[in-house]
Amino acid sequence: MANLRLIITLITVLICLFSSFTKSSNVIKIDLPKSLNLTLSTDPSIISAASHDFGNITTVTPGGVICPSSSADISRLLQYAANGKSTFQVAARGQGHSLNGQASVAGGVIVNMTCLTNVVVSKDKKYADVAAGTLWVDVFKKTAEEGVSPVSWTDYLHITVGGTLSNGGIGGQVFRNGPLISNVLELDVITGKGEVLTCSRQLNPELFYGVLGGLGQFGIITRARIVLDHAPKRAKWFRMLYSDFTTFTKDQERLISMANDIGVDYLEGQIFLSNGVVDTSFFPPSDQSKVADLVKEHGVIYVLEVAKYYDDPNLPIISKVIDTLTKSLSYLPGFISMHDVPYFDFLNRVQVEENKLRSLGLWEVPHPWLNLYVPKSRILDFHNGVIKDILLKQKTASGLALLYPTNRNKWDNRMSAMIPEIDEDVIYIIGLLQSATPQNLPEMESVNENIIRFCKDSGIKIKQYLMHYTRKEDWVEHFGSKWDDFSKRKDLFDPKKLLSPGQDIF
């Protein structure tokens, strides 16, 4: 019944898909010399696919798309663009999971990175060399054959390795093992000058640290050496409900502080709003109506979601974790549910929901998502000002709201990726993942603007993730103390400003 309600609500809210967002634009002609041995596709269907991204908010038409057979193809393209008489800009595109055209290039060349896929596990099984166009789901499938897997994951596995590392890569394992960019040993990168460089913490470190979280500004990643560890077989997956926000965050913070003791391996939090869709399907059918009633009664309910990975259910650590969760946390009595699933099924859980939405034609809709990092010291102010005073007062809320803490020391400040520049041990990751229609998109974008304005007016030092600014001063503010280094790296590795113009930084 809960799933039926979810489907009905989505059908009601997500109608009249993004057809009104399609803008007509003539394809700009780019002539590549035969000596480059590159095929530039201008097929209308390929151009159309490359003109949109996951956000389905903008349409940016490229001049053509190439499908490289090797990194050498990309190198020749960039050398020609940098040194030729006819200069054009270039954007690497994986699955196009950006929100506002960040992986686009008006009139320039899109490099379809999904043409470059490969996974090679080292003999000692401590790392895998992965072509940048490979999906994370395929990385797992290949490494799992050897009994190993990456140690950190995004919530969604059907995105490319290169695209993820260009942004950061966050999910429920960040508190334990850090973001995906913290679990990379080496990269092959093609700079804006067409140079093919291998880099690491020891070799070409300026490029290595710049590219990780660098939004594609300094080079195109073609290979990443990813840290591996033992791949567990199963996951015990829990959800617990809270009606008090402070109690909820206190338990979250306690669990991430236990990461190296008997702690959990995954931790996130969701927020159920009475004006939104309440998906109770994780709970037993006998409890689903009780959960829905609870949300109606309190207006907001907080969901603590954790998982413990394991091979043998008889190991003492499993019972210790279960005891910790069931006996020492302060969730609402009786409102805890546990699933026991294969490890891969847990990691790939979002794909199940995607398939449902795709079958209903409700996946390729506008996604005005807002992703933020919020200091622990201001999380209650954020909750009261945003969750209670903005989101809960919307007419309807369509989508998922995530809120969970992570340990700051898992991030390497030498990398380009930004988190709040504050002296605190814990930061919160916020994901307001709303879906829209062409009709209500302006309203939802206005909500996002109100949230940003509230944070600024309240002095909450947030940072955005997957952000899109159109003014240089906003980018300077975003990168803060890193801006000078960021700008110098651009001049060093992409002096003609050819790469990733869709970010609107330079």
Side-chain angles (χ1 to χ4, degrees):
M1 191 67 183
N3 284 334
L4 180 60
R5 287 199 300 271
L6 173 61
I7 292 171
I8 292 173
T9 304
L10 286 170
I11 291 175
T12 302
V13 174
L14 305 175
I15 55 174
C16 303
L17 300 184
F18 63 97
S19 57
S20 66
F21 289 83
T22 303
K23 304 174 184 177
S24 60
S25 178
N26 295 323
V27 176
I28 298 174
K29 185 174 178 57
I30 298 174
D31 290 317
L32 298 181
K34 291 183 179 180
S35 59
L36 289 182
N37 195 28
L38 296 173
T39 300
L40 184 72
S41 176
T42 57
D43 180 272
S45 62
I46 293 176
I47 292 294
S48 177
S51 300
H52 304 90
D53 58 17
F54 176 74
N56 275 313
I57 296 171
T58 62
T59 299
V60 182
T61 306
V65 178
I66 71 164
C67 183
S69 60
S70 68
S71 59
D73 288 353
I74 305 173
S75 176
R76 292 197 305 276
L77 176 73
L78 284 170
Q79 286 178 15
Y80 176 75
N83 302 317
K85 294 181 181 179
S86 176
T87 298
F88 51 84
Q89 293 179 301
V90 177
R93 175 189 170 103
Q95 291 294 88
H97 211 256
S98 54
L99 303 176
N100 288 280
Q102 291 97 320
S104 63
V105 52
V109 176
I110 291 287
V111 180
N112 181 359
M113 297 303 294
T114 63
C115 297
L116 298 179
T117 63
N118 192 36
V119 181
V120 179
V121 178
S122 65
K123 291 182 179 180
D124 61 8
K125 301 182 182 180
K126 291 184 178 180
Y127 64 83
D129 284 318
V130 183
T134 309
L135 303 184
W136 284 103
V137 66
D138 294 323
V139 176
F140 176 82
K141 289 176 180 178
K142 181 65 176 180
T143 58
E145 293 175 0
E146 305 290 337
V148 289
S149 82
V151 299
S152 191
W153 298 96
T154 63
D155 288 331
Y156 184 58
L157 302 188
H158 294 257
I159 50 179
T160 61
V161 169
T164 308
L165 298 180
S166 296
N167 287 281
I170 55 176
Q173 291 89 356
V174 173
F175 76 95
R176 177 180 281 276
N177 296 312
L180 272 67
I181 54 173
S182 294
N183 295 282
V184 179
L185 300 175
E186 186 178 275
L187 298 168
D188 283 344
V189 177
I190 302 174
T191 71
K193 296 182 286 187
E195 300 170 305
V196 182
L197 297 175
T198 297
C199 56
S200 67
R201 288 171 174 82
Q202 295 77 36
L203 180 66
N204 297 315
E206 189 82 3
L207 182 60
F208 180 78
Y209 291 121
V211 165
L212 293 171
L215 307 177
Q217 294 303 304
F218 315 119
I220 296 176
I221 299 170
T222 58
R223 176 187 64 92
R225 180 164 287 180
I226 307 296
V227 174
L228 301 178
D229 204 344
H230 170 72
K233 292 182 174 62
R234 299 191 67 83
K236 289 193 180 294
W237 182 12
F238 301 82
R239 286 184 185 173
M240 295 149 276
L241 302 186
Y242 292 72
S243 59
D244 180 76
F245 182 72
T246 300
T247 303
F248 167 66
T249 54
K250 183 178 179 180
D251 277 357
Q252 282 189 314
E253 291 167 16
R254 180 186 175 201
L255 287 174
I256 70 167
S257 71
M258 299 167 59
N260 295 318
D261 188 9
I262 61 168
V264 297
D265 296 303
Y266 163 96
L267 181 145
E268 287 193 3
Q270 294 185 33
I271 301 174
F272 286 166
L273 299 173
S274 58
N275 60 338
V277 176
V278 179
D279 183 4
T280 62
S281 60
F282 191 89
F283 287 82
S286 59
D287 290 341
Q288 291 177 5
S289 61
K290 297 177 184 177
V291 174
D293 290 342
L294 201 64
V295 177
K296 290 180 181 178
E297 177 186 352
H298 292 275
V300 186
I301 286 294
Y302 314 97
V303 185
L304 175 55
E305 181 175 34
V306 299
K308 182 66 180 178
Y309 309 145
Y310 72 96
D311 293 323
D312 183 353
N314 297 316
L315 289 175
I317 186 66
I318 300 301
S319 60
K320 288 181 180 179
V321 169
I322 293 175
D323 283 347
T324 297
L325 296 177
T326 58
K327 296 179 180 179
S328 63
L329 298 183
S330 301
Y331 57 87
L332 294 170
F335 287 100
I336 180 172
S337 184
M338 183 190 80
H339 292 192
D340 193 296
V341 297
Y343 181 55
F344 174 74
D345 289 358
F346 174 76
L347 295 179
N348 200 41
R349 61 199 179 279
V350 176
Q351 180 70 9
V352 176
E353 298 305 317
E354 177 189 341
N355 290 339
K356 292 178 184 177
L357 294 174
R358 281 191 182 279
S359 69
L360 297 168
L362 300 175
W363 180 255
E364 294 180 348
V365 298
H367 296 105
W369 287 7
L370 181 63
N371 297 276
L372 305 171
Y373 300 117
V374 177
K376 169 189 169 181
S377 61
R378 301 301 303 276
I379 195 61
L380 181 58
D381 296 329
F382 180 90
H383 167 265
N384 292 340
V386 173
I387 306 300
K388 286 288 189 70
D389 288 344
I390 297 179
L391 294 182
L392 194 58
K393 292 181 180 178
Q394 284 182 267
K395 292 181 180 178
T396 59
S398 175
L400 186 66
L402 303 177
L403 186 152
Y404 57 99
T406 183
N407 295 310
R408 182 184 178 85
N409 63 8
K410 299 298 182 181
W411 298 73
D412 190 330
N413 195 50
R414 293 170 292 183
M415 297 175 182
S416 293
M418 290 300 303
I419 56 176
E421 296 185 289
I422 50 164
D423 186 19
E424 294 187 26
D425 296 332
V426 173
I427 57 174
Y428 272 80
I429 296 173
I430 313 294
L432 305 177
L433 314 180
Q434 299 209 69
S435 299
T437 68
Q439 289 73 26
N440 69 6
L441 178 63
E443 175 191 347
M444 291 195 174
E445 290 182 320
S446 177
V447 168
N448 288 345
E449 292 170 2
N450 290 339
I451 292 171
I452 299 300
R453 188 179 305 112
F454 166 79
C455 291
K456 287 188 175 182
D457 292 345
S458 303
I460 302 176
K461 296 181 179 180
I462 61 171
K463 289 294 180 185
Q464 289 194 51
Y465 179 65
L466 302 180
M467 57 284 166
H468 185 249
Y469 301 118
T470 57
R471 302 187 311 163
K472 183 176 180 179
E473 51 262 45
D474 291 329
W475 283 112
V476 173
E477 180 182 354
H478 171 78
F479 284 107
S481 63
K482 294 184 184 181
W483 172 254
D484 287 343
D485 286 339
F486 195 88
S487 184
K488 289 176 183 176
R489 286 168 175 165
K490 186 68 171 178
D491 292 336
L492 178 62
F493 297 114
D494 184 26
K496 291 196 174 180
K497 312 295 190 291
L498 301 180
L499 295 172
S500 298
Q503 296 283 357
D504 284 334
I505 302 176
F506 296 99

